[in-house]
């Protein structure tokens, strides 16, 4: 059986031939499209390093079978910046020193974008922590991460209101 | 992970027919199934993807007042549906306490119900496990049993069912709608997960090829919305399975409990409904005395399955806490924070 999926990744359409049905979205991104910004931490849904936006929602790419998502629209960390202009969440992570080694950062940023668009946390730090609990940080940069997400939520919702 | 054939049926009938072949497994979001395939615990030969099945991702209001929840509806969609969470806040609270936002965005109603135990020995193919390999023994006995049962276990298996969602569903008397080779049938949620006995490999009431199409909350499940809580105790504040949990729902009329519902999670191979405790609350004045009595009744018959006697007292206290919080009223905002029953007082700092 010849298998293929068509995916729109960071606004570019790709048709990917798969020789094997076992490929996850994470492996497809990293190994077939060379988009290695999305990280593989645990490969089991436990760390959030592989978080992407799939049809606008944050999900763990490591537990998504690529074949199951034919036709999907995907946004990864590589698709955020507009040239040299960073996405507000990226800028907030830098401003608030929200990382140390940076391994969890792409997943944290994608998850934060998902959280902000879900609109369940607002800028309440406790709710942001709860909403970001699917993303672990081995370096323990949680304080900066929470501050960055709160600040980005404020700036992005102000932008929208304006 | 083993190789598999991938099928994508377009109707329930097609899916059921495809699954009649031994070695087949239904694929919902895959957050449990793919995980188990990666570690070699599940090895299906054929994956039957449920993605294209029509009309399985809706919430339906039935004429008799019941609510039908499609098996393919995502956990987050159900928890955030404004009408549903207003009528069944206890279900939304349990859903929002489970897994992470990323997982809830894809995990389905059916997958949550049918997810396998998190017993570490079940998940380790090098360990003996009667559930995974019948007759091989049970390495959990005498091992690390924090996540294991104190009710309804057998010598052959002491695993628990890990779902949060199923705990309030058991309390509310949910029904599971099933479609299979022999047609349609339904099973009470409290009979859906089987106690291990001497056949722990039989985990649910589903037969070969049977598909769960929906869950149904009966009309009697409504009416608890003002006094309902799900309380979950875990090893960290968020993103962890329950060590023990409790769903408590009360209907209070003129200062008396007209009807009570209570179920426990993390204590047995099924969500554990405590009907005797419920009966003891009928007609009682909500308060410490009635709640202490009910919580003790809920754990009657509990016994440790290893080094986990602490769970009996912990579960009793969580049941008591859930009843007390339910009596105080359903919170306006879900999830109610802080998520940990051990959290410091509101305003306390932690990073
Ligand atoms: C890191 C992590 C943390 C988690 N924490 C929690 C937690 O705190 N609380 C909690 O409750 N859960 C937790 N979960 C479990 C999670 O809720 C389940 O993985 C999820 O609900 C499964 O849904 P799914 O759609 O991905 O199912 P799948 O993985 O696709 O399927 C699961 C099983 O159900 C079968 N199945 C699926 N749909 C049907 C159907 N309609 N009819 C018949 N069989 C079907 C499949 O064949 C498979 O055996 C966690 C999971 C992970 C990975
Ligand atoms: S408790 Fe049950 S699932 Fe765990 S190792 Fe024993 S038999 Fe297997
Ligand atoms: S790599 Fe996907 S959650 Fe860890
Ligand atoms: S910055 Fe190192 S893991 Fe988060």
């Amino acid at each position: 059986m010849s298998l293929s999926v068509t995916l729109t990744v960071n606004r570019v359409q790709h048709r990917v031939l798969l020789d094997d049905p076992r490929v996850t979205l994470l492996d497809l991104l990293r190994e077939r499209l060379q988009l290695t910004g999305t990280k593989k931490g645990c490969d089991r849904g436990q760390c959030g390093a592989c978080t992407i936006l799939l049809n606008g929602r944050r999900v763990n790419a490591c537990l998504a079978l690529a074949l199951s998502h034919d036709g999907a629209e995907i946004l990864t960390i590589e698709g955020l910046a507009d040239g040299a202009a960073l996405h507000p969440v990226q800028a907030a992570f830098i401003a608030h020193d929200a990382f140390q080694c940076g391994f969890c950062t792409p997943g944290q940023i994608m998850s934060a974008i998902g959280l902000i668009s879900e609109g369940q946390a607002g800028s309440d730090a406790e709710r942001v922590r709860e909403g970001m609990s699917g993303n672990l940080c081995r370096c323990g940069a949680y304080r900066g991460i929470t501050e960055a997400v709160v600040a980005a939520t404020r700036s992005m919702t102000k932008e929208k209101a304006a | 992970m083993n190789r598999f054939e991938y099928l994508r049926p377009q109707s329930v009938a097609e899916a059921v027919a495809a699954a009649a072949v031994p070695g087949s497994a239904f694929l919902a979001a895959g957050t449990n199934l793919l995980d188990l395939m990666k570690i070699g615990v599940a090895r299906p030969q054929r994956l039957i993807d449920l993605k294209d099945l029509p009309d399985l991702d809706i919430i339906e209001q039935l004429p008799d007042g019941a609510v039908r929840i499609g098996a393919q509806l995502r956990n987050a969609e159900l928890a955030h549906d404004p009408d549903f969470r207003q009528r069944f806040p206890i279900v939304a609270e349990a859903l929002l306490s489970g897994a992470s936002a990323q997982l809830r965005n894809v995990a389905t109603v059916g997958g949550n119900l049918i997810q396998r135990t998190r017993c570490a020995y079940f998940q380790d193919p090098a360990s003996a496990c009667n559930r995974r390999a019948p007759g091989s023994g049970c390495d959990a006995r005498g091992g690390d049993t924090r996540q294991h049962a104190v009710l309804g276990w057998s010598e052959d298996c002491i695993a628990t069912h890990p779902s949060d969602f199923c705990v309030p569903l058991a309390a509310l008397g949910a029904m599971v709608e099933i479609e299979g080779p022999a047609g349609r049938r339904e099973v009470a949620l409290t009979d859906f997960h089987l106690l291990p006995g001497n056949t722990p490999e039989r985990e649910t009431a589903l037969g070969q090829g049977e598909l769960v199409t929906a869950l149904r909350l009966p009309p009697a499940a409504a009416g608890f919305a003002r006094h309902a809580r799900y309380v979950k105790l875990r090893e960290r504040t968020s993103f962890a399975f329950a060590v023990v949990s409790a769903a408590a729902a009360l209907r209070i009329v003129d200062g008396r409990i007209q009807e009570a519902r209570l179920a426990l999670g993390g204590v047995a191979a099924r969500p554990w409904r405590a009907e005797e405790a419920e009966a003891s609350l009928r007609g009682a004045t909500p308060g410490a005395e009635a709640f202490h009595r009910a919580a003790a009744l809920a754990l009657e018959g509990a016994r440790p399955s290893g080094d986990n006697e602490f769970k009996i007292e912990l579960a009793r206290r969580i049941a008591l806490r859930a009843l007390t919080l339910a009596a105080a009223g359903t919170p306006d905002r879900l999830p109610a924070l802080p998520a940990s029953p051990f959290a410091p007082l509101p305003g306390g700092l932690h990073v």
Side-chain angles (χ1 to χ4, degrees):
Chain A
M1 176 160 66
S2 90
L3 306 164
S4 81
V5 284
T6 304
L7 297 169
T8 305
V9 182
N10 301 332
R11 296 169 287 279
V12 179
Q13 207 182 66
H14 298 267
R15 179 150 185 269
V16 185
L17 287 171
L18 297 176
D19 46 353
D20 192 316
R22 295 173 289 190
V23 178
T24 61
L25 280 181
L26 179 59
D27 289 340
L28 184 145
L29 290 169
R30 291 180 55 84
E31 287 166 27
R32 319 264 162 153
L33 301 180
Q34 276 69 50
L35 292 170
T36 53
T38 306
K39 301 300 179 202
K40 184 186 280 194
C42 64
D43 210 22
R44 295 190 62 192
Q46 299 175 356
C47 75
C50 65
T51 304
I52 58 169
L53 296 192
L54 175 65
N55 299 321
R57 298 172 217 248
R58 51 179 166 156
V59 310
N60 301 119
C62 68
L63 289 183
L65 199 63
L67 275 177
S68 195
H69 295 284
D70 191 25
E73 221 165 278
I74 289 172
L75 187 65
T76 72
I77 191 77
E78 289 93 343
L80 291 186
D82 185 3
L86 293 181
H87 185 281
V89 177
Q90 289 176 306
F93 267 63
I94 292 172
H96 292 269
D97 209 6
F99 43 79
Q100 199 178 107
C101 76
F103 189 83
C104 71
T105 311
Q108 300 278 3
I109 290 176
M110 298 315 293
S111 187
I113 294 172
L115 174 75
I116 293 167
S117 78
E118 285 157 17
Q120 298 290 331
S123 52
D124 175 337
E126 190 64 32
R127 285 193 183 273
V128 166
R129 271 193 284 271
E130 169 61 28
M132 292 292 291
S133 68
N135 293 81
L136 305 192
C137 174
R138 284 295 300 270
C139 299
Y142 294 111
R143 173 184 287 258
I145 293 168
T146 305
E147 286 170 6
V149 177
V150 168
T153 307
R154 289 212 176 102
S155 77
M156 287 172 72
T157 38
K158 218 182 290 156
E159 233 166 67
K160 232 185 257 167
Chain B
M1 195 191 291
N2 60 291
R3 272 183 177 265
F4 50 83
E5 196 187 334
Y6 177 79
L7 289 92
R8 198 139 160 179
Q10 299 298 307
S11 69
V12 167
E14 236 181 86
V16 168
V21 179
S24 303
F26 292 122
L27 175 72
T31 61
N32 188 223
L33 184 57
L34 291 175
D35 188 13
L36 292 174
M37 288 170 68
K38 286 183 186 194
I39 57 176
V41 168
R43 310 181 61 84
Q45 300 305 305
R46 285 152 53 96
L47 283 194
I48 301 167
D49 195 336
L50 304 178
K51 194 153 191 180
D52 292 343
L53 301 191
D55 303 329
L56 286 193
D57 59 351
I58 52 176
I59 306 173
E60 224 179 322
Q61 205 58 60
L62 302 180
D64 66 352
V67 175
R68 179 184 284 137
I69 308 160
Q72 282 287 99
L73 192 69
R74 296 182 176 103
N75 287 190
E77 272 172 331
L78 181 60
H80 292 304
D81 182 85
D83 189 48
F84 182 82
R85 79 192 268 166
Q86 198 179 8
R87 295 185 60 198
F88 304 103
I90 193 174
V91 180
E93 188 169 29
L95 278 170
L96 293 174
S97 79
S100 65
Q102 288 96 317
L103 288 159
R104 294 191 297 267
N105 272 344
V106 294
T108 62
V109 160
N112 194 317
L113 177 73
I114 300 158
Q115 62 173 302
R116 319 281 299 272
T117 182
R118 306 303 286 200
C119 171
Y121 307 92
F122 171 82
Q123 293 212 350
D124 169 23
S127 293
C129 171
N130 288 324
R131 195 173 276 262
R132 174 169 35 73
S136 64
C138 170
D139 276 350
R141 304 306 304 276
D144 181 359
T145 50
R146 280 183 87 72
Q147 299 287 345
H148 290 78
V150 293
L151 283 161
W153 54 272
S154 73
E155 291 304 318
D156 289 339
C157 178
I158 60 173
T160 54
H161 192 258
S163 168
D164 292 300
F165 179 45
C166 289
V167 182
L169 290 177
L172 295 178
M175 300 297 294
V176 183
E177 299 186 357
I178 297 167
E179 185 112 7
R184 223 171 260 188
R185 65 184 185 108
E186 58 182 46
V187 178
L189 185 115
T190 43
D191 296 327
F192 183 79
H193 302 96
L194 306 180
L195 293 180
N198 52 17
T199 52
E201 72 280 9
R202 292 207 54 218
E203 294 172 22
T204 70
L206 289 181
Q208 173 78 47
E210 283 193 316
L211 177 77
V212 170
T213 52
L215 290 172
R216 203 176 68 245
L217 286 169
F224 295 102
R226 289 173 57 200
H227 295 281
R229 282 309 294 270
Y230 182 70
V231 180
K232 175 178 178 182
L233 189 98
R234 32 197 157 169
E235 304 278 8
R236 55 186 183 198
T237 306
S238 184
F239 197 22
F241 286 93
V243 177
V244 292
S245 69
L250 303 170
R251 182 153 56 227
I252 302 175
V253 179
D254 297 333
R256 291 207 176 266
I257 298 170
Q258 201 164 57
E259 208 189 338
R261 301 292 180 89
L262 183 65
L264 302 174
V267 294
R270 62 164 55 135
W272 194 266
R273 184 161 172 192
E275 281 175 277
E276 270 181 52
E278 293 176 0
S280 80
L281 289 166
R282 209 164 294 137
T285 310
E289 196 191 320
F291 295 158
H292 270 281
R293 191 175 57 227
L297 276 172
L299 272 302
E300 217 174 47
R303 59 198 173 103
S305 61
D307 193 13
N308 57 11
E309 193 165 2
F310 72 95
K311 288 184 71 167
I312 301 172
E313 177 60 11
L314 209 50
R316 191 189 66 76
R317 290 183 189 210
I318 286 298
L320 177 64
R321 184 79 68 104
L323 287 165
T324 309
L325 289 170
T330 305
D332 292 335
R333 197 151 172 212
L334 293 179
L337 296 183
S340 167
F342 289 150
L345 291 172
L349 278 182
H350 65 90
V351 176

